[in-house]
């Protein structure tokens, strides 16, 4: 693929393809300031406090977001509580209609929402356009279909909603995580207070506007913005009858401690350090693509990122060489450019975390391979994709979640060793297995301590397919029939 020149339209320098810029030109309307979405209306926060949300690719402010205080969270909870009984009593097929309408409005506005997601969070437009937004619509459609079939879902039993749900989500898939949380809760007749991540609140707030447009009854969904304090208030509020959290293991643990004395069901989707295991008999080109998308998708801001690569020793050298070549072709830069593979790091804090862990990896003696040739933009937060070889299982880069485009490469000799190494982590979110042998797939998949195992593919998601972790990656499932269970009694 590289180095061909001559009569092609694009200039091809020796280091790889050069593409002409292909910027996405759609610009969503962004308000200068957003209130809290409570009882169907946007309201100024009683706290009178706001904070900036920026575009991490430029460092520029996009808007001001309200910071919800204790009184604001109380007001949101009260609105959810008041809306609860009527929403719960409504026939499932009527609730389903609202979800269908919302799904259709999301599709109609998909372009603007994708651009907004990219501007607020830094992920490449081709991901927000082709992955996030289609999955968001799919989640609402899928759960709309369950709303009037709940007694079939639960073996003829007459299930009831739990009541007010407190839902707290991270910044890596802002709108998709909102959809994952809201759709099953609403389908089952619950009402919600949702708290988006502080760096990426815009798409959830725009989703609230769509909820107004489809006349979703006021108070069924309430959105309170703010940082960790607001999240803590949502999770620990006495009105809450179910808590769902996605984010770091550290915060998940804190929420669990806080809820321990109370009988509030909790689901946690936490961090990961997932392994891709590549056997010598795998389709190598395909495995390279899978490994690349597994770690460099969304700048590695993915809880199930395949951040550890285990390669069978006999092919380690050629595999690493192929990986290096493929990596050199990744285009890092303007997330709004349709050719961009790797966008901006979500925040300066996250960039600092990634840098610190990479430095620690070098200090421990692992070898850093940084072959990116694209010059990084001067403004904003960027980290070039890279990988480590010479990694020992005890090294920081083999153990800790980096949540950035950094891959730790290790090798193995036997399937037993691969299984042992893959499972040697406190996390258990996902794993990938690459081999030509079906028998190996079944044997190894069954022995992975992971909630999701992909075989000869990676990072595939579907609303009908439950997602979630084991061990320190959390508990509970989102998506599918399993995901509904958390939202009913
Ligand atoms: P975080 O856990 O701090 O934040 C996630 C969400 O929880 C945000 O909405 C945040 O405001 C909220 N929050 C923070 N403190 C809280 C508290 N005490 N009680 C209730 N809610 C609280 O994650 P982060 O700061 O965004 O990132 C830190 C690390 O978390 C990352 O480096 C990564 O390892 C991990 N992470 C995991 C996921 C995932 O999808 N599993 C997503 C983002 C981050
Ligand atoms: Mn932002």
């Amino acid at each position: 693929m590289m180095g061909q020149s001559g009569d092609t339209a694009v200039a091809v320098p020796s280091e790889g393809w050069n593409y002409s810029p292909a910027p996405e030109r759609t610009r969503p309307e962004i308000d200068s300031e957003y209130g809290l979405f409570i009882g169907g209306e946007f309201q100024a926060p009683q706290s009178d406090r706001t904070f900036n949300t920026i575009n991490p690719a430029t460092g520029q402010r996009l808007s001001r977001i309200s910071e919800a205080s204790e009184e604001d969270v109380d007001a949101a909870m009260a609105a959810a509580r008041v809306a609860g009984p009527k929403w719960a009593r409504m026939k499932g097929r009527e609730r389903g209609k609202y979800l269908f309408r919302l799904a259709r409005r999301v599709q109609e506005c998909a372009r603007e929402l994708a651009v907004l997601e990219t501007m607020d969070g830094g992920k490449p437009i081709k991901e927000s356009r082709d992955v996030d937004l289609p999955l968001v619509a799919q989640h609402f459609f899928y759960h709309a279909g369950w709303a009037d079939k709940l007694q079939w879902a639960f073996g003829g039993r007459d299930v009831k909603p739990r009541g007010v749900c407190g839902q707290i989500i991270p910044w890596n898939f802002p709108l998709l995580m909102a959809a994952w949380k809201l759709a099953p809760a609403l389908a089952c007749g619950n009402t919600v207070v949702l708290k988006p991540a502080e760096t990426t609140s815009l798409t959830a707030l725009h989703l609230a506007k769509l909820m107004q447009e489809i006349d979703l009854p006021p108070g069924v969904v309430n959105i309170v913005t703010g940082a960790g304090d607001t999240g803590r208030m949502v999770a620990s509020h006495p009105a809450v009858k179910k808590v769902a959290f996605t984010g770091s293991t550290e915060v998940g643990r804190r929420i669990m401690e806080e809820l321990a004395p109370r009988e509030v069901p909790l689901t946690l989707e936490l961090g990961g350090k997932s392994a891709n295991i590549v056997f010598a008999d795998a389709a190598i080109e395909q495995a390279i693509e899978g490994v690349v998308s597994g770690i460099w998708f969304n700048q590695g801001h993915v809880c199930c990122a395949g951040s550890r690569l285990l390669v069978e020793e006999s092919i380690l050298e050629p595999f690493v060489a192929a990986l290096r070549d493929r990596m050199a072709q990744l285009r890092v830069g303007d997330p709004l450019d349709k050719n961009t593979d790797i966008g901006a790091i979500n925040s300066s804090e996250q960039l600092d975390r990634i840098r610190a862990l990479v430095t620690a990896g070098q200090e421990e003696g692992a070898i850093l391979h940084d072959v990116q040739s694209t010059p990084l933009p001067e403004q904003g937060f960027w980290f070039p994709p890279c990988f480590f070889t010479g990694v020992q299982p005890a090294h920081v880069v083999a153990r800790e979640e980096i949540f950035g485009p950094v891959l730790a490469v290790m090798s193995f000799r036997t399937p037993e060793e691969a299984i042992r190494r893959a499972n040697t982590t406190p996390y258990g979110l996902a794993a990938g297995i690459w081999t030509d042998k079906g028998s190996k797939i079944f044997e190894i998949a069954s022995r992975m301590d992971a909630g999701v195992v992909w075989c000869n593919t990676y990072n595939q998601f579907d609303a009908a397919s439950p997602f979630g972790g084991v061990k320190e990656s959390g508990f509970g499932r989102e998506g599918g029939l399993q995901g509904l269970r958390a939202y009913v009694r």
Side-chain angles (χ1 to χ4, degrees):
M1 286 269 292
M2 289 169 61
Q4 293 287 321
S5 59
D7 54 11
T8 46
V10 284
V12 185
S14 58
E15 68 269 22
W17 289 96
N18 233 355
Y19 282 71
S20 305
E24 165 64 58
R25 302 218 183 267
T26 306
R27 282 296 175 277
E29 255 178 56
I30 301 178
D31 302 344
S32 58
E33 195 169 320
Y34 288 81
L36 306 168
F37 185 65
I38 297 176
E41 302 291 339
F42 284 94
Q43 304 183 1
Q46 294 178 46
S47 71
D48 273 333
R49 281 195 299 271
T50 61
F51 58 95
N52 291 338
T53 192
I54 63 162
N55 179 342
T58 62
Q60 275 160 6
R61 182 172 86 191
L62 292 172
S63 184
R64 287 231 300 276
I65 306 293
S66 298
E67 185 186 320
S69 64
E70 199 93 54
E71 294 78 47
D72 296 309
V73 173
D74 282 345
M77 292 288 169
R81 200 145 55 167
V82 169
K86 197 165 166 210
W87 182 247
R89 271 199 317 273
M90 189 183 284
K91 290 239 182 306
R93 63 169 184 269
E94 295 303 317
R95 280 202 310 272
K97 282 183 199 165
Y98 286 105
L99 287 170
F100 273 122
R101 272 183 228 154
L102 192 57
R104 281 198 299 267
R105 278 306 283 148
V106 165
Q107 284 186 318
E108 285 160 5
C109 303
R111 189 126 198 171
E112 284 75 14
L113 288 169
V115 174
L116 198 57
E117 196 77 310
T118 284
M119 290 176 78
D120 202 12
K123 66 170 62 188
I125 186 68
K126 73 174 175 195
E127 287 179 14
S128 41
R129 182 195 63 195
D130 297 345
V131 181
D132 297 61
L133 262 296
L135 283 172
V136 170
Q138 192 202 38
H139 267 267
F140 286 116
F141 276 122
Y142 175 82
H143 287 93
W146 272 126
D148 63 348
K149 301 175 194 69
L150 293 175
Q151 81 239 47
W152 285 278
F154 298 104
R157 273 178 299 167
D158 184 19
V159 293
K160 297 260 182 312
R162 293 198 174 274
V164 177
C165 302
Q167 305 184 322
I168 297 150
I169 55 175
W171 42 260
N172 56 342
F173 293 89
L175 192 57
L176 182 57
M177 289 301 107
W180 276 28
K181 297 264 182 296
L182 291 171
L186 300 184
C188 294
N190 302 277
T191 57
V192 175
V193 176
L194 175 82
K195 204 221 49 95
E198 52 272 37
T199 55
T200 54
S201 306
L202 287 181
T203 45
L205 293 166
H206 277 243
L207 185 69
K209 292 185 182 203
L210 301 188
M211 291 172 187
Q212 288 179 319
E213 287 173 26
I214 63 145
D215 290 325
L216 186 74
V220 168
V221 174
N222 306 274
I223 300 179
V224 290
T225 44
D229 271 346
T230 307
R232 189 183 41 74
M233 293 170 204
V234 169
S236 60
H237 200 280
V240 158
K241 295 287 183 276
K242 192 239 160 350
V243 172
F245 170 80
T246 298
S248 61
T249 297
E250 185 196 335
V251 172
R253 199 174 284 140
R254 231 177 289 154
I255 292 175
M256 205 171 163
E257 280 166 11
E258 186 126 12
L259 292 182
R262 293 171 51 202
E263 245 184 283
V264 179
L266 173 65
T267 41
L268 297 175
E269 299 276 3
L270 309 174
K273 190 74 186 176
S274 302
N276 254 316
I277 306 173
V278 182
F279 287 94
D281 61 18
I284 297 302
E285 302 260 298
Q286 198 184 325
I288 290 284
E289 285 309 307
V291 168
V292 163
S293 82
I295 180 63
W296 289 310
F297 177 55
N298 196 14
Q299 298 78 242
H301 295 341
V302 186
C303 49
C304 54
S307 53
R308 289 181 301 151
L309 171 62
L310 300 174
V311 186
E312 191 161 354
E313 203 173 77
S314 60
I315 58 160
L316 181 64
E317 236 173 86
F319 198 87
V320 165
L323 186 68
R324 182 183 295 123
D325 287 349
R326 182 65 185 87
M327 193 176 112
Q329 296 170 14
L330 294 172
R331 290 173 297 275
V332 186
D334 182 6
L336 281 172
D337 191 309
K338 293 167 198 163
N339 290 324
T340 291
D341 295 305
I342 298 192
I345 300 301
N346 183 263
S347 64
S348 65
E349 292 78 15
Q350 189 59 23
L351 182 56
D352 290 344
R353 255 180 235 154
I354 297 169
R355 283 184 176 149
L357 286 163
V358 167
T359 304
Q362 287 174 291
E363 283 169 3
E364 285 183 332
I367 303 150
L368 180 68
H369 301 256
D370 176 0
V371 300
Q372 257 297 309
S373 50
T374 329
L376 296 175
E378 274 165 23
Q379 306 297 319
F381 316 125
W382 308 91
F383 196 87
C386 61
F387 65 91
F388 279 104
T389 57
V391 178
Q392 299 300 320
H395 283 167
V396 162
V397 292
R399 287 185 291 113
E400 286 193 29
E401 182 179 46
I402 299 179
F403 230 65
V406 183
L407 177 67
V409 182
M410 288 165 277
S411 65
F412 66 87
R413 290 202 183 95
T414 63
E416 287 301 322
E417 193 185 6
I419 294 167
R420 202 171 51 243
R421 285 206 158 183
N423 288 339
T424 305
T425 164
Y427 293 112
L429 201 46
I433 303 167
W434 300 84
T435 170
D436 202 27
K437 297 269 183 308
S439 56
K440 233 188 244 171
I441 286 176
F442 287 117
E443 167 68 11
I444 292 170
S446 71
R447 292 175 61 193
M448 287 290 108
D449 296 337
V452 183
V453 182
W454 285 294
C455 300
N456 293 327
T457 186
Y458 207 83
N459 274 342
Q460 301 296 320
F461 306 96
D462 190 280
S465 183
F467 181 91
V470 297
K471 301 201 290 190
E472 287 188 22
S473 292
F475 47 80
R477 294 291 176 265
E478 293 188 303
L481 195 48
Q482 290 86 342
L484 283 177
R485 195 173 287 278
Y487 289 98
V488 296
R489 315 182 257 134

